[in-house]
Amino acid sequence: MMNKINFAGIEGKVLQVSPHGNYQVVELSDSEALRRNRITIVGTYSNKFHWPESTDESSGFTSFITYIGLKQQEFSRFRDWVIVNNGYFEGDDGTPRQSKRVRRFPLEIKVRGLLAESVVELIHGEIG
């Protein structure tokens, strides 16, 4: 049985925990978005990797990185949304790559700096 975690009021399924417990890989969804489950976060309790500080009190993460699953034709829409919501890409993180974290999509992008509230908006499909 997989562990569950609450992230900003959204139930998440813990997919992986690092060997030392420094981070967790969590798939997020709400009941309506379950079929398009495109958001996975990697959250840290210690932030020993010095990720941008975007905390979430409900999960206890001191920082997290967001992975957005996509299909090729969706990239520009999500890139624009990330920028408007104060997220950013480091290096080639904004270039769609073969999915490693978001299992239900062929591609993903890695987003830094989003607030938990922005991730919730994304999960609820407010981007479209």
Side-chain angles (χ1 to χ4, degrees), residues 37-38 68-74 95-109:
N37 213 351
R38 73 168 69 236
I68 303 173
L70 24 110
K71 300 171 188 159
Q72 186 63 44
Q73 69 274 19
E74 298 175 315
T95 302
R97 67 179 187 193
Q98 184 175 350
S99 255
K100 296 178 190 175
R101 303 282 190 196
V102 186
R103 298 174 173 180
R104 291 181 171 92
F105 284 79
L107 302 170
E108 70 185 19
I109 52 176

Side-chain angles (χ1 to χ4, degrees), residues 43-64:
T44 179
Y45 297 107
S46 66
N47 201 13
K48 76 178 213 174
F49 306 108
H50 305 290
W51 296 340
E53 295 288 333
S54 295
T55 61
D56 174 59
E57 289 181 24
S58 61
S59 65
F61 292 145
T62 59
S63 191
F64 63 91

